[in-house]
């Protein structure tokens, strides 16, 4: 009998990449994307038109990298990102000079990235492309703007709540299953889509950032934080399986 699954909730392309790697490591994985992403072709074309003028570009997620597709990645003087998944996508695309928190960073967020960007500066008068989805935090963008950088924010892709199969959702929520939550927006969609009367105290989850962990905890989920690194996620699932087998 297979152990209970790790439920991946990232958008489909990212979930598929993670699923392949985690299954190769022996995990039982089920993809259940909570958000969908769609590239904005016109905005992506605008980004490429500004490419040669940019001193650096920030990418909010792997979806921002995938949205742009093929192009002169190697000519970009500097690419910055928060998470290891985005860094891996940038390397595969051909970006050469990355600013990103190291694997040993305590968290992967804007606050960890900012000192590394400062160290690579000064950025006064230099041009940044800010490539992201619609919405998101502006904290890092504001730090650069305060430092005199010129910024062009572009929403190269759009996020939307995924259309969920209600039967599959109810079955996964009934468990046993371990949800991997990597977005507060995705978590909100899960909470809104669940059947009325769902007992969230029976739902167990891993959250890739403390902010997501806190949001899930307030909703009643049994949740703990894990860094979004494949070996750590795999070990967290294995630990959960061992503990669950003794319950």
């Amino acid at each position: 009998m297979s152990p209970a699954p790790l439920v991946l909730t990232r958008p489909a392309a990212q979930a598929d990449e993670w699923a392949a790697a985690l299954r190769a490591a022996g995990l039982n994985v089920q993809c259940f994307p909570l958000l969908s992403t769609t590239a904005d072709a016109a905005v992506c074309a605008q980004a490429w038109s500004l490419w040669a003028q940019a001193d650096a570009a920030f990418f909010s997620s792997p979806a921002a990298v995938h949205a742009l597709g093929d192009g002169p990645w190697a000519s970009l003087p500097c690419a910055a990102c928060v998470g290891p998944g985005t860094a891996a996508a940038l390397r595969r695309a051909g970006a050469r000079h990355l600013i990103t928190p190291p694997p040993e960073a305590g968290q992967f967020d804007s606050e960890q990235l900012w000192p590394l960007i400062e160290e690579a500066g000064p950025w006064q008068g230099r041009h940044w492309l800010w490539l992201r989805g619609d919405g998101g935090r502006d904290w890092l963008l504001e730090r650069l703007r305060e430092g005199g950088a010129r910024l062009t924010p572009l929403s190269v892709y759009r996020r939307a709540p995924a259309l969920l199969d209600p039967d599959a959702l109810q079955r996964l929520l009934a468990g046993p299953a371990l949800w991997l939550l990597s977005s507060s927006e995705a978590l909100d969609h899960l909470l809104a889509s669940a059947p009325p009367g769902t007992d969230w105290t029976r739902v167990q989850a891993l959250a890739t950032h403390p902010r997501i962990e806190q949001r899930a905890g307030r909703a009643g989920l049994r949740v703990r934080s894990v860094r979004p690194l494949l070996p750590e996620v795999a070990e967290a699932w294995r630990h959960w399986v061992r503990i669950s087998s003794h319950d």
Side-chain angles (χ1 to χ4, degrees):
M1 181 176 176
S2 298
L6 177 70
V7 183
L8 302 184
T9 61
R10 292 168 177 258
Q14 299 171 42
D16 289 346
E17 291 176 4
W18 273 64
L22 290 169
R23 285 171 182 148
L27 276 68
N28 180 22
V29 174
Q30 181 162 347
C31 295
F32 195 76
L34 294 175
L35 298 177
S36 64
T37 60
T38 304
D40 188 318
V43 179
C44 290
Q46 183 183 359
W48 284 124
S49 73
L50 296 171
W51 201 257
Q53 305 168 30
D55 296 295
F58 171 80
F59 297 82
S60 66
S61 69
V65 181
H66 297 155
L68 290 184
D70 295 332
W73 287 93
S75 66
L76 184 67
C78 175
C81 65
V82 167
T86 310
L90 284 165
R91 292 187 183 99
R92 287 194 298 270
R96 293 184 177 179
H97 305 291
L98 266 61
I99 303 176
T100 190
E104 62 271 16
Q107 294 295 337
F108 299 101
D109 55 22
S110 297
E111 288 79 2
Q112 292 288 327
L113 178 59
W114 173 236
L116 304 178
I117 290 178
E118 278 193 302
E119 184 180 347
W123 298 105
Q124 175 76 35
R126 298 170 74 185
H127 184 204
W128 278 76
L129 296 178
W130 208 259
L131 307 177
R132 60 185 182 181
D134 43 334
R137 294 180 75 208
D138 283 340
W139 184 88
L140 191 60
L141 181 149
E142 293 301 331
R143 302 290 80 73
L144 273 165
R145 186 169 282 150
E146 289 167 359
R150 294 184 296 115
L151 289 123
T152 302
L154 297 171
S155 296
V156 294
Y157 70 96
R158 303 197 179 280
R159 292 186 301 272
L163 183 63
L164 305 181
D165 179 334
D167 293 333
L169 174 59
Q170 189 163 2
R171 184 171 61 253
L172 288 170
L173 288 173
L178 182 65
W179 293 74
L180 180 62
L181 303 171
S182 54
S183 161
S184 294
E185 184 180 355
L187 171 59
D188 288 343
H189 183 41
L190 174 64
L191 297 172
S193 302
T198 296
D199 182 1
W200 291 106
T201 64
R202 295 173 53 86
V203 178
Q204 301 190 61
L206 301 170
T208 60
H209 193 277
R211 282 191 294 272
I212 306 170
E213 180 184 17
Q214 292 162 11
R215 174 74 181 92
R218 289 195 298 270
L221 283 74
R222 296 160 61 187
V223 60
R224 68 184 183 89
S225 186
V226 64
R227 297 193 307 161
L229 296 171
L230 288 166
E232 296 186 21
V233 170
E235 182 51 39
W237 176 81
R238 294 188 185 102
H239 175 75
W240 173 74
V241 169
R242 289 194 298 268
I243 295 299
S244 299
S245 66
H246 295 299
D247 289 345

